[in-house]
Amino acid sequence: MAFKTLDQINLRGQRVFIRCDFNVPLDAAGRITDDTRIRAGIDGIRHALAQGARVMLASHLGRPREGALTPADSLAPVARRVGELLGQEVPLVTDWLTRRFDVAPGQVVMLENCRANPGEKANSTELAQRMAALCDVYVNDAFGTAHRAEATTEALARVAPVACAGPLMASELDALGRALAQPARPLAAIVGGSKVSTKLSVLNALAGQVELLVVGGGMANTFLLAAGQQVGKSLCEPEMVETAAQVAATLSARGAELFMPIDVVTATEFSDRAIPAIKTLNEVAPDDLILDFGPQSMQALVERLAPCKTIVWNGPLGVFEIEQFSYGTRTLATAIAASTAYSIAGGGDTVAAINRFDVARQIDYVSTAGGAFLEFLEGKTLPAVKALEDRAA
């Protein structure tokens, strides 16, 4: 992909506007519960500060109503965490579009939640022009929002004096390109999630590319139903059975494999008090919930993954947050970490599983993105990336 990168630009004394993706989870007390996205975006900030730039950080947090920011929408906790990681104070600037503020060389400030600005989600050019007046250099280092055409991700990239990609954006695209553009084969993809309908386009795209497709989570139940298996009262989409069968047929026609579990972990209730039972598919009862892949399935899956040269992972196999239903996802994470294949993983639940099972350092690339990761897998054009490419051209 052809676009300018941050390391190609002289930033000394320049006003640098960095669009970050610091949309992190907070608990009821407003404390950050996972700072993965913040830590992933720190390198670009450090680079700009080291060059003596005047740095402004912009991010969204949650889904604030435009023009009506509440305390729960504030980036104050994020500003504090960024300051801790940088070892310097990061002031939070409110009303940054309507009042004057100064940033000294080597200083960084956090601009309050950009999604509260009227026109942000509508990708307003007028709003982008007002933001462009604040900076000399615009940096998009928010791959997690690259699939959204919003004022800080797309329009601003087109009207800022200079526009470039930050190191996180560049590394995400490089890793995904390596995994999908010209992958070492065999190529395996693991896609988990609750509903086939939400990931149908991803499944269709991957069915035409991979040698091995593994479907996990609630989606696996729909595929089992399509194969004539009983799934009890498990989460599934009967209306998507024909669609699931078409995905399976596409794989079969190419000589590729759809991996299906041969045993599952079930319970009669969905809770951390549930009593698990390992069953073959034929033993699944009408009141059973399928909540994980069973041990025989995981042994077979580990064997199928062993010869693969590229592995793409998005989504857990079961309800890994509950210990008694975590075996499948834990075993998968361990197998990918131990594999010699080039591995890339992304999506919020996937990152949570990787962190829980402590395998991040053994996976070649862990993406911070969810929706953008999936749309890249689909082969879609990402608006924020297209804007950077157009500027470079």
Side-chain angles (χ1 to χ4, degrees):
M1 297 183 183
F3 44 69
K4 289 183 179 179
T5 55
L6 185 63
D7 58 1
Q8 297 174 328
I9 299 171
N10 181 0
L11 302 177
R12 183 154 302 280
Q14 299 293 293
R15 298 172 301 159
V16 179
F17 185 110
I18 305 180
R19 177 51 161 105
C20 309
D21 181 13
F22 291 161
N23 185 30
V24 294
L26 305 175
D27 63 17
R31 294 181 295 252
I32 296 170
T33 58
D34 183 350
D35 68 350
T36 300
R37 285 181 170 176
I38 298 175
R39 288 184 283 107
I42 284 293
D43 284 351
I45 302 168
R46 286 191 176 126
H47 175 83
L49 291 173
Q51 291 219 353
R54 308 163 185 260
V55 181
M56 296 165 279
L57 307 179
S59 177
H60 72 285
L61 181 67
R63 298 180 178 179
R65 188 161 59 91
E66 291 187 358
L69 190 74
T70 69
D73 302 319
S74 177
L75 283 166
V78 174
R80 285 193 294 271
R81 183 58 182 144
V82 173
E84 291 169 357
L85 293 170
L86 293 175
Q88 68 184 80
E89 183 184 3
V90 178
L92 179 68
V93 181
T94 59
D95 301 322
W96 49 277
L97 285 171
T98 58
R99 70 179 180 89
R100 179 179 175 81
F101 63 94
D102 294 316
V103 185
Q107 183 188 17
V108 55
V109 300
M110 177 73 67
L111 308 178
E112 188 57 283
N113 200 325
C114 63
R115 279 215 184 136
N117 294 325
E120 170 67 14
K121 294 189 73 173
N123 199 25
S124 165
T125 299
E126 187 274 332
L127 174 60
Q129 289 169 338
R130 292 170 65 194
M131 293 187 287
L134 299 175
C135 67
D136 303 303
V137 178
Y138 165 76
V139 183
N140 192 334
D141 211 21
F143 179 73
T145 65
H147 61 308
R148 301 187 185 280
E150 298 181 346
T152 57
T153 64
E154 203 270 351
L156 181 53
R158 296 187 180 279
V159 299
V162 175
C164 67
L168 179 60
M169 172 75 83
S171 63
E172 292 263 9
L173 292 168
D174 179 69
L176 284 166
R178 177 176 171 183
L180 294 172
Q182 293 182 317
R185 294 185 180 274
L187 166 62
I190 301 101
V191 182
S194 59
K195 296 182 177 181
V196 172
S197 55
T198 61
K199 294 188 176 180
L200 175 59
S201 52
V202 175
L203 294 171
N204 281 329
L206 291 174
Q209 299 181 55
V210 303
E211 280 71 50
L212 173 66
L213 178 63
V214 183
V215 180
M219 292 195 304
N221 301 326
T222 301
F223 277 81
L224 288 172
L225 199 61
Q229 299 290 341
Q230 295 301 311
V231 297
K233 59 179 182 180
S234 306
L235 175 65
C236 68
E237 295 177 285
E239 71 277 10
M240 299 299 293
V241 162
E242 184 176 339
T243 300
Q246 290 172 351
V247 172
T250 299
L251 288 160
S252 179
R254 294 180 50 247
E257 179 184 1
L258 171 66
F259 182 88
M260 303 286 282
I262 52 178
D263 65 337
V264 291
V265 183
T266 69
T268 56
E269 64 173 319
F270 184 90
S271 77
D272 56 8
R273 300 182 303 276
I275 299 172
I278 298 171
K279 297 187 176 185
T280 65
L281 295 176
N282 291 333
E283 295 172 330
V284 175
D287 63 342
D288 278 335
L289 294 166
I290 297 174
L291 300 174
D292 197 12
F293 281 29
Q296 292 183 54
S297 301
M298 293 314 302
Q299 181 179 350
L301 179 54
V302 170
E303 292 173 358
R304 299 288 202 285
L305 290 173
C308 294
K309 301 299 183 185
T310 305
I311 301 174
V312 178
W313 178 21
N314 175 260
L317 297 183
V319 188
F320 74 95
E321 300 91 342
I322 300 176
E323 180 60 31
Q324 55 267 46
F325 308 115
S326 66
Y327 175 79
T329 304
R330 183 192 303 273
T331 303
L332 174 64
T334 302
I336 294 174
S339 173
T340 58
Y342 178 74
S343 55
I344 180 168
D349 288 341
T350 312
V351 172
I354 287 168
N355 290 337
R356 176 173 179 178
F357 304 132
D358 194 25
V359 296
R361 285 172 293 183
Q362 287 77 49
I363 293 177
D364 290 297
Y365 196 83
V366 179
S367 174
T368 60
F373 184 93
L374 289 173
E375 292 201 9
F376 193 101
L377 294 185
E378 294 174 41
K380 288 185 176 179
T381 298
L382 304 180
V385 177
K386 180 67 162 54
L388 294 175
E389 291 176 329
D390 289 348
R391 283 300 300 271

